Amino acid sequence: MSYRGSVYQKALNTLEKRRERAEAQANAKFMQISEKIPQLESIQKELAAIGLSISKLFFYDGDNGAEFERLKRKSLELQNKKKELLVKNGFDENSLTVKYTCPICCDTGYVNNRICKCHRQLLLEAQRGELEKAAPLGKCTFETFDLNYYPAGAGENAVSPRLRAEKIYEYCRQYAATLGAHAKNLLLFGGTGLGKTHLSLAIANVAVNRGLSVIFGTCQNILSDLENEKFGRAVKRYDEEGVLYCDLLIIDDLGTEFQSSYTTACLYNIINTRLLTSKPTVINTNCEFAQLEGLYGERVTSRLAGEYDFQTLEGSDIRYLRK
């Protein structure tokens, strides 16, 4: 799991806001109740002083076990006294307990130096939010992929476009279910509007739900951002580290970007680096393989031919059929 910095930061910001809100509410509750039970303020100060003393013990050499146990007993006595005062005055004994959103990690995101399940969920939601800025992720799932738009009759090579689409659909479902390090790479061919992007985003949906880091973007947008990053200009969404090392990269519309020596070299670096680091990539294109050879040359296409599974969708533009 290697999320982009923006995803981690968004999750951490949410955790921080949760902590601040819970502690502010607890403080307001304490101020309200302490007006009726003045003794609580002195107890709270004593508990704070004990906490500070305990923390200092960790920085001193020598055997501090006895002092640590004494402070623990004193703290427990004060906490019990606080509860007794609350109950005696008609309050629940837990009235002053901080009500964190996640009681397991107290909204820190970690338990015993391991990431808490609430933190994992926030990362997943932040990752999904990042992807939805670039594509309709929620609408493009395996469940919403409709095979009825593909002709059932024989098409090119006497093969039914629907039968071909069914096989590619099942391939993509299996691909998503088993996706991980050292997974295969996938190149989806086909004309405009045949469902390549939909299937790619369906794979992305499964990958995100499995906790994998995913980047999706058109080839034009990805390469444009990487060029801007290289020359110190503002980057909109994609950075080199994320593109090269995310768990799954999806490049949409290969071949429609502005062509230059830089874009070809950059594309080669992306494909080659991800192959060397065993990071799976899904690429969609309206071009035929011969066209790709003409656009990018042998260095790029030889890697596609040798390291990618090719799947080709056939039929009519689904966008027109939906009207």
Side-chain angles (χ1 to χ4, degrees):
M1 181 174 62
S2 178
Y3 291 114
R4 300 169 70 188
S6 57
V7 171
Y8 277 113
Q9 192 57 53
K10 188 171 184 179
L12 290 173
N13 288 345
T14 300
L15 286 167
E16 183 179 5
K17 287 177 182 177
R18 287 179 176 180
R19 286 196 309 277
E20 290 176 349
R21 181 174 63 247
E23 290 165 4
Q25 289 172 346
N27 186 56
K29 187 81 170 180
F30 176 81
M31 297 298 291
Q32 177 187 0
I33 293 177
S34 63
E35 288 182 2
K36 298 181 179 179
I37 315 174
Q39 302 98 306
L40 289 176
E41 287 195 32
S42 61
I43 292 174
Q44 202 69 9
K45 288 179 181 178
E46 283 190 73
L47 285 170
I50 289 171
L52 181 60
S53 297
I54 289 175
S55 65
K56 286 180 178 179
L57 289 179
F58 293 104
F59 295 97
Y60 296 140
D61 295 329
D63 184 6
N64 300 309
E67 177 64 7
F68 178 76
E69 289 300 323
R70 187 190 72 79
L71 290 170
K72 257 179 62 174
R73 285 194 301 271
K74 181 62 176 176
S75 175
L76 186 59
E77 288 172 7
L78 289 169
Q79 290 177 51
N80 288 334
K81 184 178 180 181
K82 183 168 66 171
K83 289 179 180 180
E84 289 171 5
L85 283 169
L86 287 168
V87 172
K88 183 179 178 180
N89 287 273
F91 296 99
D92 184 274
E93 67 175 23
N94 297 312
S95 296
L96 298 180
T97 302
V98 182
K99 304 296 192 302
Y100 292 107
T101 302
C102 178
I104 298 172
C105 70
C106 297
D107 294 340
T108 62
Y110 293 91
V111 182
N112 297 324
N113 295 320
R114 299 187 67 178
I115 191 167
C116 182
K117 63 180 181 180
C118 74
H119 194 174
R120 291 186 187 278
Q121 182 61 31
L122 287 173
L123 287 169
L124 188 153
E125 292 170 3
Q127 167 81 114
R128 183 172 291 279
E130 290 272 302
L131 284 169
E132 286 176 344
K133 293 177 184 177
L137 188 67
K139 295 180 180 179
C140 297
T141 66
F142 286 115
E143 290 71 25
T144 59
F145 190 79
D146 193 348
L147 290 163
N148 291 317
Y149 285 112
Y150 298 88
E156 293 182 21
N157 303 317
V159 177
S160 160
R162 184 176 300 174
L163 179 60
R164 182 185 292 273
E166 285 176 359
K167 290 181 177 178
I168 295 174
Y169 171 83
E170 289 302 326
Y171 175 97
C172 289
R173 280 180 66 94
Q174 183 65 21
Y175 181 87
T178 59
L179 188 64
H182 306 287
K184 293 180 178 180
N185 302 288
L186 174 60
L187 182 53
L188 286 170
F189 289 97
T192 301
L194 289 182
K196 302 183 300 298
T197 300
H198 189 129
L199 285 174
S200 297
L201 289 172
I203 292 171
N205 265 293
V206 175
V208 168
N209 289 338
R210 291 178 53 203
L212 300 177
S213 60
V214 182
I215 290 180
F216 171 94
T218 64
C219 193
Q220 173 63 41
N221 288 341
I222 291 173
L223 295 181
S224 176
D225 270 14
L226 296 192
E227 184 174 14
N228 287 333
E229 182 183 31
K230 178 179 175 63
F231 292 105
R233 299 190 290 264
V235 176
K236 293 181 180 178
R237 187 170 298 142
Y238 307 102
D239 59 86
E240 185 177 54
E241 183 175 356
V243 169
L244 293 181
Y245 302 112
C246 62
D247 295 325
L248 174 65
L249 173 65
I250 301 175
I251 301 176
D252 201 33
D253 283 336
L254 177 68
T256 60
E257 73 281 0
F258 176 78
Q259 298 291 316
S260 70
S261 57
Y262 173 81
T263 57
T264 300
C266 189
L267 180 64
Y268 168 80
N269 184 52
I270 293 170
I271 291 171
N272 194 54
T273 299
R274 293 185 64 80
L275 287 175
L276 291 173
T277 55
S278 300
K279 298 287 188 180
T281 306
V282 174
I283 299 177
N284 305 325
T285 183
N286 299 337
C287 301
E288 295 181 356
F289 191 76
Q291 291 176 284
L292 295 181
E293 287 182 307
L295 289 172
Y296 304 111
E298 187 179 354
R299 284 211 312 163
V300 170
T301 53
S302 66
R303 283 161 175 76
L304 297 177
E307 303 291 344
Y308 280 67
D309 281 358
F310 291 1
Q311 300 290 339
T312 303
L313 288 159
E314 296 176 355
S316 301
D317 190 330
I318 293 172
R319 296 185 185 92
Y320 288 114
L321 297 176
R322 283 176 178 159
K323 291 184 178 180

